Amino acid sequence: MKTKIVNYPNLVEAQNRQKSDTQFYHASVSHLKEMEEIGRGKKYYIHTFGCQANIRDEETMRGMLESVNYIKTNNPDEADVIIINTCAVRENAEDKVYGEIGNLKRLRKINKKLVLGICGCMVEQPEILEILQAKFPEVNLYFGTHEINQLLDLIYEVYINDIRLISIKSKQGEVIENEKVVRSNNYKAYVNIIYGCNKFCTYCIVPYTRGKERSRHFSDIMDEVRELKKQGYQEITFLGQNVNAYGKDLDEGHGFADVLEEAAKMGIPRIRFTTSHPWDFSSKMIEIIAKYENIMKCIHLPVQSGSSEVLRLMGRRYTREHYLALVKEMRDKIPGLSLSTDIIVGFPNETEEQFNETLTLVDEVKYESAFTFIYSPRRGTPAAKINDNVSYADKSRRFKELVKHLEVNIEADSKRYIGGTYKVLVDGTSKTDDNMLSGYTESNKLVHFKGDESLIGKIVNVKILESHTYSLIGELADE
Ligand code: SAH
Ligand code: SF4
Ligand code: F3S
């Protein structure tokens, strides 16, 4: 099989952050007529790893595929197009992808016309792309995070010409509007407001895989929110690697606080957002969150480390003191605020003392939930070049210790719900018991309770009877 390379990723180009204006495009779908015939009666299977950015990208890919008659299947064995949407943030995320391709590659022998595509953040790294090609000759399509909108053209070319196609451009990125989308949920939606990342934290691969920070036009975001409201959505989550940076690259005079306020006024029952970098969280944002009832009092505020020296080496642009002052301002101005975070243990040469500073910070802030990670070197990032004197055994021990500290706080916090009645947006039935429903409180606590399936997608009152570390048990308080 011939390999055609349209564009190949390049980490140096991926670092480029020139001031040149972002290009805004409206999605256009070429080959539509031919693809409508090719897609008729065929099925697609997409497996997405990674964060909400990837989940939202999957919804765009679904929109495009279904617009040319492909039908979704959850069984890869019967698919004519398979797409594995990858994450590169840590080594274990990449290992899962290697496993998945290993499982699916056999299908190319059975179905000679199968399009087996790999996209997402992993393929944006040239060295990983080399490994993938060497390991999996069965894969016949590679495309990057900036090529999602070309998916149909790429499938067409692979299908018609029977070639292996690589189209991955490392570029600053653009903003594409009016893409077709099939949302995976009909009462909760993700709304992108800003793409990419300019922070370049020294451990992180994301700025290389997702391009520069580029905001959508305010009016395009609001049109999307208005449409979601009209369709009856109960919850929207604004997405960005750093939502606080919204609008800084545009001359429209709108910041993230304006996005929140305008959306809140439209009356969607629940508004959330993720992620906020502590560095540019403004007082105005805090005021707006406090002011509107339908902006959830939940802030995901990744701290990464409790040591100012480690934070400096991570390139996080804030100190422990600055972070704690921000938390204090938030807690003072937003009653009932629930905070969650991300923490990395075992950054290169992290001392026991520095690690202890993370423990004391965690005890002080009292998070309601937290994602914890052992540092994973990412090739091409500055931190990966540092000689590390901490053993993996020490990192694992620290990781377990940190989780224990967090759990003490989380468990104590869960207890405070007992006896109270909370609004829960019902998500679905429990995997083990059809009579049990589950959903989330406004503060994002998972609640299980008995109820009828007809409540899925609705907001109901639930009285909390019992608490576990990561979930609550309750009963319906509505009639
Ligand atoms: N933009 C978001 C984070 C996206 S990545 C933010 O800045 O908050 C999600 C989390 O993965 C990060 O917050 C960090 O805790 C973790 N992470 C990123 N790179 C990592 C690495 N190399 N090793 C371990 N954890 C990492
Ligand atoms: Fe990665 Fe830092 Fe950007 Fe978050 S802010 S995506 S951790 S570089
Ligand atoms: Fe992973 Fe890419 Fe998201 S690396 S965390 S899928 S931005």
Side-chain angles (χ1 to χ4, degrees):
M1 193 175 31
K2 253 184 35 201
T3 299
K4 178 176 165 187
I5 299 176
V6 182
N7 285 302
Y8 210 79
N10 176 317
L11 285 186
V12 178
E13 273 173 36
Q15 273 183 65
N16 196 348
R17 291 292 185 274
Q18 280 180 0
K19 274 251 159 196
S20 65
D21 288 339
T22 301
Q23 304 286 318
F24 288 81
Y25 294 106
H26 276 235
S28 67
V29 182
S30 49
H31 287 308
L32 193 63
K33 280 284 156 254
E34 293 96 315
M35 277 306 292
E36 277 177 21
E37 288 320 307
I38 291 172
R40 206 176 297 284
K42 301 229 178 72
K43 294 187 174 155
Y44 73 88
Y45 169 85
I46 304 181
H47 189 159
T48 292
F49 296 84
C51 68
Q52 291 93 339
N54 264 14
I55 295 172
R56 185 60 189 74
D57 281 349
E58 169 175 339
E59 293 181 336
T60 302
M61 292 192 275
R62 289 188 60 190
M64 299 176 78
L65 288 163
E66 293 187 19
S67 75
V68 294
N69 302 318
Y70 282 97
I71 299 163
K72 180 181 181 239
T73 172
N74 293 323
N75 175 8
D77 286 57
E78 57 175 34
D80 303 279
V81 171
I82 292 180
I83 293 169
I84 304 171
N85 190 11
T86 66
C87 171
V89 78
R90 283 169 296 275
E91 198 177 340
N92 56 4
E94 295 189 333
D95 289 344
K96 284 188 209 153
V97 168
Y98 289 126
E100 171 79 347
I101 310 172
N103 287 337
L104 297 178
K105 62 181 187 187
R106 66 188 163 84
L107 297 173
R108 279 265 295 140
K109 288 211 180 72
I110 300 164
N111 176 0
K112 296 272 183 274
K113 293 297 267 180
L114 173 69
V115 177
L116 177 54
I118 315 289
C119 66
C121 289
M122 258 173 95
V123 301
E124 294 284 339
Q125 306 164 94
E127 286 171 19
I128 300 287
L129 184 56
E130 298 288 332
I131 295 171
L132 286 167
Q133 287 181 80
K135 253 181 122 142
F136 305 111
E138 297 85 354
V139 173
N140 53 6
L141 174 60
Y142 290 99
F143 60 105
T145 60
H146 303 294
E147 280 82 11
I148 299 277
N149 67 312
Q150 294 161 28
L151 177 62
L152 296 181
D153 293 350
L154 299 172
I155 291 176
Y156 179 82
E157 200 169 345
V158 171
Y159 185 84
I160 295 291
N161 299 332
D162 197 18
I163 53 168
R164 176 180 303 113
L165 186 57
I166 299 176
S167 183
I168 304 163
K169 202 166 183 181
S170 297
K171 59 179 172 184
Q172 300 193 50
E174 50 204 19
V175 172
I176 300 165
E177 294 295 344
N178 282 15
E179 285 172 310
K180 295 234 166 15
V181 52
V182 174
R183 298 195 189 261
S184 49
N185 189 308
N186 50 21
Y187 50 89
K188 292 206 292 200
Y190 289 128
V191 177
N192 282 314
I193 62 168
I194 179 168
Y195 302 98
C197 181
N198 286 355
K199 296 288 181 290
F200 287 101
C201 301
T202 58
Y203 51 82
C204 185
I205 196 70
V206 172
Y208 306 82
T209 66
R210 292 266 166 193
K212 75 167 177 181
E213 278 177 0
R214 51 209 194 277
S215 304
R216 290 177 68 195
H217 287 309
F218 190 74
S219 56
D220 288 325
I221 297 169
M222 291 311 145
D223 288 348
E224 187 174 343
V225 176
R226 205 171 293 113
E227 185 57 32
L228 290 166
K229 168 81 173 83
K230 219 167 76 190
Q231 292 173 16
Y233 274 80
Q234 299 292 310
E235 177 176 303
I236 58 168
T237 302
F238 289 123
L239 289 187
Q241 291 304 335
N242 177 18
V243 289
N244 317 356
Y246 175 78
K248 291 186 178 178
D249 57 320
L250 298 175
D251 278 334
E252 296 187 346
H254 295 294
F256 181 52
D258 304 307
V259 173
L260 281 176
E261 180 157 40
E262 192 76 11
K265 285 182 184 159
M266 285 186 202
I268 292 245
R270 290 183 169 197
I271 297 172
R272 300 184 189 278
F273 54 92
T274 194
T275 305
S276 293
H277 191 293
W279 184 62
D280 43 9
F281 209 112
S282 68
S283 296
K284 184 171 174 202
M285 282 166 51
I286 296 176
E287 268 163 44
I288 297 292
I289 295 165
K291 182 170 165 191
Y292 290 91
E293 218 174 277
N294 57 345
I295 302 179
M296 298 300 97
K297 311 301 177 240
C298 278
I299 300 177
H300 185 62
L301 198 67
V303 66
Q304 313 299 359
S305 167
S307 149
S308 293
E309 176 56 14
V310 174
L311 289 170
R312 191 182 65 77
L313 295 169
M314 287 177 163
R316 289 291 289 179
R317 309 169 192 216
Y318 56 84
T319 60
R320 173 191 177 99
E321 290 69 34
H322 173 255
Y323 185 91
L324 289 173
L326 179 62
V327 167
K328 183 170 182 329
E329 184 185 351
M330 289 173 170
R331 292 238 194 255
D332 285 350
K333 293 198 181 140
I334 310 174
L337 175 69
S338 115
L339 279 171
S340 57
T341 199
D342 293 347
I343 300 171
I344 298 176
V345 296
F347 187 77
N349 305 323
E350 179 191 61
T351 64
E352 241 7 88
E353 216 173 18
Q354 288 167 337
F355 170 65
N356 280 327
E357 289 186 80
T358 298
L359 296 182
T360 56
L361 181 130
V362 157
D363 292 342
E364 188 170 337
V365 177
K366 301 199 182 345
Y367 294 104
E368 276 214 3
S369 77
F371 297 99
T372 46
F373 311 104
I374 293 182
Y375 167 73
S376 169
R378 304 287 71 206
R379 214 174 288 166
T381 62
K385 298 187 186 85
I386 306 173
N387 272 329
D388 188 359
N389 65 15
V390 189
S391 70
Y392 196 79
D394 277 335
K395 295 187 189 207
S396 299
R397 175 185 45 78
R398 288 179 196 172
F399 179 81
K400 285 183 199 133
E401 219 172 303
L402 172 64
V403 171
K404 247 196 269 159
H405 269 251
L406 284 160
E407 280 183 348
V408 169
N409 299 327
I410 295 170
E411 224 173 285
D413 177 75
S414 289
K415 288 212 171 82
R416 82 178 160 90
Y417 287 81
I418 295 179
T421 297
Y422 295 87
K423 283 191 177 130
V424 173
L425 173 51
V426 186
D427 257 344
T429 50
S430 148
K431 284 188 191 97
T432 48
D433 182 351
D434 274 355
N435 294 318
M436 287 298 270
L437 297 174
S438 52
Y440 287 87
T441 63
E442 296 196 332
S443 60
N444 229 1
K445 269 277 187 218
L446 177 61
V447 182
H448 303 290
F449 59 99
K450 264 205 169 57
D452 189 77
E453 268 184 35
S454 61
L455 296 176
I456 294 173
K458 300 206 166 78
I459 295 174
V460 296
N461 287 309
V462 177
K463 183 170 181 201
I464 304 305
L465 306 171
E466 215 182 288
S467 80
H468 299 276
T469 312
Y470 296 106
S471 64
L472 304 169
I473 312 287
E475 64 183 14
L476 260 180
D478 294 332
E479 71 272 12

